[in-house]
Amino acid sequence: MSRKFAVIAFLFFVIFFNAAGREQVQYQMEKLGRGLIAVDMPDGGVYVGWRILGTDPNNIAFNVYRDGTLVNSKPITQSTNLIDANGTGNSVYTVKAFINGSIGEASPPAKVWSHNYLSIPLQTPEGYRPNDASLGDIDGDGEYEIVLKQEKRPRDNARSGTTGQTKLEAYKLDGTFLWRIDLGKNIREGAHYTQFIVYDLDGDGKAEVACKTADGTIDGKGKVIGDPNADYRNDSGFVLAGPEFLTIFDGLTGAALATVDYIPPRGGDGSGWGDSSGNRVDRFLACVAYLDGQRPSLVMCRGYYTRTVLAAWNYRDKKLSHLWTFDSEDGTPGNSDYSGQGNHNLSVSDIDGDGKDEIVYGACAIDDNGKGLYSAGLGHGDAMHLSDIDPDKPGMEVFGIHERPSHPYAANLRDAATGKVIWGMSSEDVGRGLSMDIDPRYRGYECWASLDCDHDGLYNCKGEKISESKPSSCRMGIWWDSDVLRELLDGTTITKWDYANNRTVRLFSADGCRSNNSSKANPCLCADILGDWREEVIFRTSDNKYLRIYTTTISTERRFYTFMHDRQYRLSIAWQNVGYNQPAHTSFYVGEGMKEPPRPLIKTTIAK
């Protein structure tokens, strides 16, 4: 065999092996439809938008039909939206994919919305308010349903007092009420107690619902878990006794499918977590992670101010199986470094590039095998952002902020894979921080925080101050208008940063709606729910009788597959209701000068 032939044969083997490897690491994702929407425009015509899927080929084109008549003169290749000048409020639209000269099946028909929102009637219990929401395809039809938390009298862990009883409710987008779960008197009500996960955990094409339960929880079919008469609330309203459970509920009916003991238990009165009042022991987080790189696992967490524990589970064949537990105080060498590093939130991503997800738990990270990956030692904070913040640097980064730090990095950018601080700013205390691309003159995401010092201002991803002025909001972000910059979502208002004049410009206000969680001022949910790749936002109405899903009607020629088929973004939507809400981020850089997003290696599940 000649040397040249041997080299060619070797290269062919490498290419074939790598291609086969990529095929093997496909991961399970939802099988979505086109998410077609049509909105009546105030000045005439109808806005129409639809999804590209992560499984679609790059050369896909589309035809749009109004009342069965083709709207476009040639297949649409440059966008996934259009303005139909001849459309009216009575029109009905469908869309068909056009691939290599072949026309696919029509999407389900979409009637025209009379406003830029879809109104969903609620069955809110007397005295309750809609709170955080999540999404999942719970009936397997390729479109999302909403699971909503309803609260009556929530209390932070640091405040005593008896709370209401948290309800979880499921609605179809047409307003059909599916079920209500009553978590009962032994689950305290508030942002830190009920982290509910909506996801297709077993791969049957239909999403389940997972959360912590207790004696007296009533499932969606009226069945009681545990002792229906037990009441473990103490005189201060805290629940520091009694059994604790983890339950998987059927997404379509709300029926309890599997219940196990919650890991970790509180242990006595909870004093092993730093106090005996119930403040630190009842700090919960939760997420979904692809720990094997292919199928989703559930991770339920407890503690972050002191002791930190994460427990991973698989839900398969109607059973919960425990995978591993990471405990910062179990005596494992090095684990104690992870105590006190957690946030009021978390993020999930493959930060080390092995195809499997890690959990970024505030200022530390837990590997897919349940071992500690690193502890940055930066301490607790209220906000962090994980994405390709600096696209010129290999890998991903984390922008985080910290309360009352004992180090000079109160706001900092760190390497997501190692925890090494790249740059930072000092401050006595930082309560808010945000990172996203708002200024196209600087490559990468901009970063800013509520600093109380001379360092205050707007920074680029290299740590250089680019403006003494910054947006007044540090809360949420949303992709809303026609470009790839991100807009600011604060309360019920969307604004854009006018980088030339260092000010914000209002784009939209959700009149008649309210935000949630007091000063957190977050919506029920912000996600790529319908239409093209840009995000929708869900608010409750002021009378608590409706949810409204608001969508943009601004045309754009940017075309991406739905962010819900990017694994990191989809997992970010799953943890949006967890703790203090933070914007969802993609696994790739979205901003000025971005490259075409990498195609996701997914295989979609089909309802059985």
Side-chain angles (χ1 to χ4, degrees), residues 7 78 148 333 493 556:
V7 170
Q78 299 301 315
L148 174 69
T493 300
T556 179

Side-chain angles (χ1 to χ4, degrees), residues 111-134:
K111 295 182 179 180
V112 177
W113 300 359
S114 57
H115 307 278
N116 66 332
Y117 61 82
L118 177 66
S119 187
I120 301 172
L122 300 176
Q123 296 188 21
T124 302
E126 183 67 29
Y128 278 73
R129 293 188 304 275
N131 194 258
D132 293 335
S134 192

Side-chain angles (χ1 to χ4, degrees), residues 157 212 239-241 244 262-285 300-311 325-330 338-342 361:
N157 301 54
K212 182 174 178 286
V239 181
L240 300 178
E244 301 173 286
Y262 191 87
I263 296 176
R266 67 174 68 86
D269 61 0
S271 57
W273 300 81
D275 61 56
S276 58
S277 65
N279 185 16
R280 287 172 172 80
V281 68
D282 272 1
R283 298 280 179 168
F284 298 98
L285 299 176
M300 305 299 290
C301 318
R302 185 175 216 151
Y304 39 76
Y305 286 133
T306 51
R307 182 186 175 194
T308 293
V309 183
L310 294 79
T325 297
F326 174 88
D327 188 340
S328 67
E329 300 298 331
D330 66 357
Y338 293 74
S339 289
Q341 301 302 308
Y361 204 81

Side-chain angles (χ1 to χ4, degrees), residues 344-527:
H344 292 297
N345 37 65
L346 45 66
S347 192
V348 180
S349 182
D350 176 18
I351 59 175
D352 59 7
D354 65 355
K356 304 174 184 179
D357 286 331
E358 286 71 47
I359 297 95
V360 179
Y361 204 81
C364 63
I366 310 303
D367 208 348
D368 55 84
N369 59 6
K371 308 295 183 182
L373 186 64
Y374 68 80
S375 175
L378 298 169
H380 169 74
D382 279 7
M384 68 172 185
H385 305 275
L386 168 64
S387 189
D388 191 6
I389 294 173
D390 184 349
D392 296 328
K393 182 181 179 299
M396 288 189 285
E397 296 79 39
V398 176
F399 179 70
I401 54 95
H402 304 276
E403 291 183 345
R404 296 180 291 277
S406 58
H407 52 75
Y409 306 117
N412 66 83
L413 190 76
R414 74 174 194 260
D415 185 280
T418 66
K420 181 180 178 180
V421 173
I422 301 170
W423 58 264
M425 299 167 286
S426 62
S427 181
E428 292 184 3
D429 186 35
V430 185
R432 298 283 189 277
L434 200 51
S435 179
M436 55 194 192
D437 191 17
I438 61 172
D439 190 333
R441 299 173 299 181
Y442 302 90
R443 184 164 162 79
Y445 290 178
E446 282 67 54
C447 305
W448 67 101
S450 55
L451 300 174
D452 57 357
C453 58
D454 294 338
H455 300 301
D456 202 13
L458 184 63
Y459 288 76
N460 66 14
C461 67
K462 308 296 185 183
E464 302 164 338
K465 184 186 285 191
I466 60 176
S467 174
E468 295 292 339
S469 301
K470 65 179 183 181
S472 58
S473 170
C474 284
R475 291 192 173 98
M476 297 288 288
I478 184 171
W479 283 291
W480 185 261
D481 66 6
S482 61
D483 60 33
V484 292
L485 303 179
R486 213 164 188 185
E487 285 65 59
L488 301 155
L489 174 57
D490 186 2
T492 58
T493 300
I494 296 174
T495 60
K496 191 172 187 68
W497 179 244
D498 177 359
Y499 54 87
N501 296 297
N502 292 322
R503 61 190 181 112
T504 53
V505 177
R506 180 173 296 192
L507 300 182
F508 164 80
S509 292
D511 296 332
C513 292
R514 293 288 183 270
S515 59
N516 292 329
N517 301 314
S518 186
S519 65
K520 308 304 179 291
N522 62 274
C524 297
L525 184 66
C526 178

Side-chain angles (χ1 to χ4, degrees), residues 13 191 256 386 500 521 587:
F13 171 79
L386 168 64
S587 63

Side-chain angles (χ1 to χ4, degrees), residues 124-426:
T124 302
E126 183 67 29
Y128 278 73
R129 293 188 304 275
N131 194 258
D132 293 335
S134 192
L135 296 172
D137 181 8
I138 64 180
D139 59 5
D141 67 352
E143 302 301 336
Y144 287 119
E145 284 74 45
I146 295 174
V147 177
L148 174 69
K149 180 168 69 169
Q150 296 265 17
E151 291 184 334
K152 185 176 185 179
R153 196 170 50 253
R155 290 283 190 276
D156 187 90
N157 301 54
R159 295 176 56 199
S160 61
T162 302
T163 70
Q165 296 181 192
T166 301
K167 321 291 186 189
L168 296 178
E169 298 177 340
Y171 295 87
K172 293 180 69 67
L173 297 189
D174 65 5
T176 301
F177 176 80
L178 297 175
W179 48 258
R180 176 180 293 132
I181 295 168
D182 186 335
L183 293 179
K185 60 177 69 74
N186 294 309
I187 296 291
R188 194 164 160 82
E189 189 180 57
H192 303 292
Y193 313 98
T194 297
Q195 323 300 350
F196 62 99
I197 295 296
V198 183
Y199 212 83
D200 181 9
L201 296 170
D202 60 2
D204 68 350
K206 299 179 181 180
E208 291 79 38
V209 179
C211 69
K212 182 174 178 286
T213 57
D215 279 346
T217 294
I218 305 172
D219 76 3
K221 302 289 284 187
K223 183 179 179 180
V224 179
I225 295 173
D227 182 354
N229 300 313
D231 186 348
Y232 300 107
R233 295 172 295 182
N234 63 21
D235 293 341
S236 297
F238 290 97
V239 181
L240 300 178
E244 301 173 286
F245 308 122
L246 167 63
T247 299
I248 303 292
F249 296 94
D250 184 270
L252 188 56
T253 67
L257 299 175
T259 297
V260 297
D261 290 338
Y262 191 87
I263 296 176
R266 67 174 68 86
D269 61 0
S271 57
W273 300 81
D275 61 56
S276 58
S277 65
N279 185 16
R280 287 172 172 80
V281 68
D282 272 1
R283 298 280 179 168
F284 298 98
L285 299 176
C287 63
V288 175
Y290 287 74
L291 300 175
D292 65 359
Q294 299 180 48
R295 301 185 68 183
S297 298
L298 179 67
V299 183
M300 305 299 290
C301 318
R302 185 175 216 151
Y304 39 76
Y305 286 133
T306 51
R307 182 186 175 194
T308 293
V309 183
L310 294 79
W313 302 83
N314 277 346
Y315 179 66
R316 312 277 190 266
D317 301 320
K318 307 301 181 184
K319 295 181 180 179
L320 273 166
S321 59
H322 179 234
L323 294 178
W324 50 253
T325 297
F326 174 88
D327 188 340
S328 67
E329 300 298 331
D330 66 357
T332 299
N335 275 18
S336 61
D337 294 340
Y338 293 74
S339 289
Q341 301 302 308
N343 277 14
H344 292 297
N345 37 65
L346 45 66
S347 192
V348 180
S349 182
D350 176 18
I351 59 175
D352 59 7
D354 65 355
K356 304 174 184 179
D357 286 331
E358 286 71 47
I359 297 95
V360 179
Y361 204 81
C364 63
I366 310 303
D367 208 348
D368 55 84
N369 59 6
K371 308 295 183 182
L373 186 64
Y374 68 80
S375 175
L378 298 169
H380 169 74
D382 279 7
M384 68 172 185
H385 305 275
L386 168 64
S387 189
D388 191 6
I389 294 173
D390 184 349
D392 296 328
K393 182 181 179 299
M396 288 189 285
E397 296 79 39
V398 176
F399 179 70
I401 54 95
H402 304 276
E403 291 183 345
R404 296 180 291 277
S406 58
H407 52 75
Y409 306 117
N412 66 83
L413 190 76
R414 74 174 194 260
D415 185 280
T418 66
K420 181 180 178 180
V421 173
I422 301 170
W423 58 264
M425 299 167 286
S426 62

